[in-house]
Amino acid sequence: MKNKHAFITGIAGFAGGHLVKELLDAGYTVSGSVFKDDSPEQIKLLKKTCNIYKLDILNKSRVSKLIAKVKPNYIFHLAAFSSVGQSFAYERLTYDINFNGTLNLLEASVGLQKLRKFVFISSSECYGKFSPKTKTLTEDEPLNPISPYGISKVAAEHLCKLYHSRFELPVVIARAFNHAGPGQNENFVIPSFCKQIAMIEAGRQKPVMYVGNLSAKRDLSDVRDIVRGYRLMAEKGKAGVVYQLCSGKSITIQSVLNKLVKLTKKKINVKIDKKFFRKNDIPLIRGDFSKAKKEIGYNPNYKIDKTLLNSLNYYREKM
Ligand code: A2R
């Protein structure tokens, strides 16, 4: 469709696949980039509806050549080193991909004639440690990241704002809170639980689940709501502005686990394993999506029970 061509970096990632569906359903033409070929099935599927390019976002000249060739009207920059936990072990790589990769893409986008919006995907990890008096996070909360991942996203947000003020690049920043759903890899807490339950059901793991800190409270959304937020930001977001995308509620990891365990007929023993505990873990995170609701019409639709069932079924099918 004319003037509705979206380019997604990290298109074969967890959120990427859901964003493709969201955009195609809304009448966009979609293309995007993959880094490695380590999910050939997913890429084969994507190629049925999208043009897919191989791209390392750290390759500056290749990024600018590709963007100049594709000439998208919308860019959704999802490619990232996305694991908070692993960012401690791969600190420099995290800064490289999340900061320099974003810089390459911003540079390549300056001067694109028909670019309507550049959506940068940031994270609630930018807030890091905040005052216990803060009950609900808003976009105005000071940023105090406590992980290499959080630092990289804060720095990249600043870069996006600079490119907006310096070159009038129409950048909007999505500060996404935790999200889950089918397709997420097991480095994250919900898929890790789901995979273990599916393994137990398939007789491939003893009926014991290993879990980390269950008392942490998180603001959890369905990925399908979050990607709708990305589209709404592209269509209605104000350039240079940050929008939080979240559920506005918080739930303990314990409750998530209880809900998941109720979805299986197997009797499961839960064992706490300290190796899953994170230093500096934040006890409670809850966001407020009022600004996104007011300015772009964002309203989450999915109930947590559906998100959990769909995530578990994804791993059941994989078994
Ligand atoms: O390794 P691949 O081919 O799956 O690509 C990953 C891609 N990526 C890169 N792309 C280009 N050049 C690189 N040097 C590079 N390094 C990684 O980023 C992967 O498909 C994608 C990220 O996808 P996920 O890890 O599944 O993250 P998710 O959950 O979709 O997160 C999307 C965005 C990220 O910016 C997160 O930081 C944020 O939402 O929460």
Side-chain angles (χ1 to χ4, degrees):
M1 193 175 283
K2 209 167 174 273
N3 294 335
K4 267 185 108 173
H5 181 179
F7 181 81
I8 306 172
T9 66
I11 195 168
F14 165 53
H18 292 280
L19 181 59
V20 167
K21 185 173 183 316
E22 173 69 32
L23 293 174
L24 289 175
D25 287 351
Y28 286 75
T29 304
V30 182
S31 62
S33 70
V34 298
F35 177 38
K36 295 184 232 124
D37 286 333
D38 50 8
S39 41
E41 287 305 313
Q42 162 80 341
I43 293 171
K44 208 169 136 194
L45 208 67
L46 285 169
K47 279 185 175 166
K48 288 187 180 166
T49 50
C50 313
N51 277 330
I52 301 294
Y53 304 91
K54 243 189 130 190
L55 177 73
D56 178 355
I57 54 165
L58 292 178
N59 186 335
K60 181 172 150 36
S61 68
R62 175 94 179 95
V63 173
S64 63
K65 276 187 198 135
L66 183 60
I67 294 298
K69 178 179 149 184
V70 174
K71 296 188 185 63
N73 307 114
Y74 297 91
I75 293 177
F76 293 86
H77 180 30
L78 272 62
F81 189 96
S82 61
S83 164
V84 180
Q86 290 189 28
S87 72
F88 290 91
Y90 298 94
E91 187 171 5
R92 196 165 292 270
L93 185 64
T94 305
Y95 300 140
D96 271 346
I97 296 176
N98 294 1
F99 184 82
N100 290 327
T102 302
L103 175 60
N104 289 341
L105 201 64
L106 288 167
E107 275 188 331
S109 308
V110 173
L112 263 187
Q113 292 296 319
K114 290 189 176 161
L115 184 71
R116 290 179 161 183
K117 211 63 71 67
F118 181 120
V119 184
F120 173 66
I121 312 305
S122 185
S123 162
S124 55
E125 276 293 316
C126 289
Y127 297 116
K129 232 183 176 63
F130 49 87
S131 159
K133 283 189 198 139
T134 306
K135 294 277 178 266
T136 307
L137 292 162
T138 68
E139 288 84 352
D140 299 328
E141 185 72 22
L143 305 181
N144 185 24
I146 52 169
S147 66
Y149 173 83
I151 291 172
S152 72
K153 288 284 181 180
V154 172
E157 280 197 8
H158 284 299
L159 204 54
C160 289
K161 286 182 185 164
L162 182 68
Y163 269 68
H164 170 249
S165 60
R166 211 173 141 204
F167 303 109
E168 288 175 18
L169 198 70
V171 191
V172 280
I173 298 167
R175 236 175 246 158
F177 283 56
N178 292 68
H179 44 283
Q184 195 171 29
N185 77 54
E186 69 245 38
N187 287 327
F188 296 84
V189 60
I190 292 174
S192 143
F193 292 167
C194 292
K195 186 178 177 193
Q196 292 189 65
I197 293 174
M199 296 268 283
I200 292 165
E201 287 179 339
R204 291 168 61 181
Q205 180 175 320
K206 286 187 187 144
V208 183
M209 264 176 83
Y210 297 93
V211 301
N213 177 13
L214 293 178
S215 65
K217 285 185 161 178
R218 291 291 175 265
D219 182 317
L220 190 65
S221 297
D222 191 290
V223 63
R224 293 159 285 194
D225 278 326
I226 294 289
V227 298
R228 188 162 29 79
Y230 298 162
R231 177 178 62 78
L232 291 171
M233 285 182 60
E235 292 170 355
K236 299 180 185 167
K238 290 192 194 125
V241 171
V242 177
Y243 296 95
Q244 287 190 162
L245 299 176
C246 55
S247 74
K249 297 177 214 148
S250 64
I251 178 166
T252 59
I253 305 299
Q254 176 77 65
S255 313
V256 167
L257 178 63
N258 294 348
K259 282 175 183 290
L260 279 170
V261 167
K262 273 196 194 143
L263 293 174
T264 180
K265 291 192 177 103
K266 291 274 173 191
K267 202 162 163 22
I268 295 179
N269 240 323
V270 174
K271 288 215 163 124
I272 309 273
D273 188 337
K274 291 268 180 209
K275 95 167 177 242
F276 294 119
F277 278 57
R278 207 180 284 160
K279 223 176 145 196
N280 286 333
D281 206 8
I282 301 157
L284 182 144
I285 296 180
R286 184 176 54 230
D288 173 348
F289 61 87
S290 312
K291 183 175 171 185
K293 185 175 180 180
K294 187 162 167 246
E295 295 189 15
I296 62 169
Y298 182 69
N299 233 336
N301 288 333
Y302 282 84
K303 297 265 180 295
I304 178 117
D305 292 341
K306 180 162 185 174
T307 308
L308 295 178
L309 179 63
N310 292 164
S311 305
L312 178 57
N313 283 343
Y314 168 78
Y315 276 96
R316 281 171 168 158
E317 279 161 31
K318 269 189 102 174
M319 291 296 129

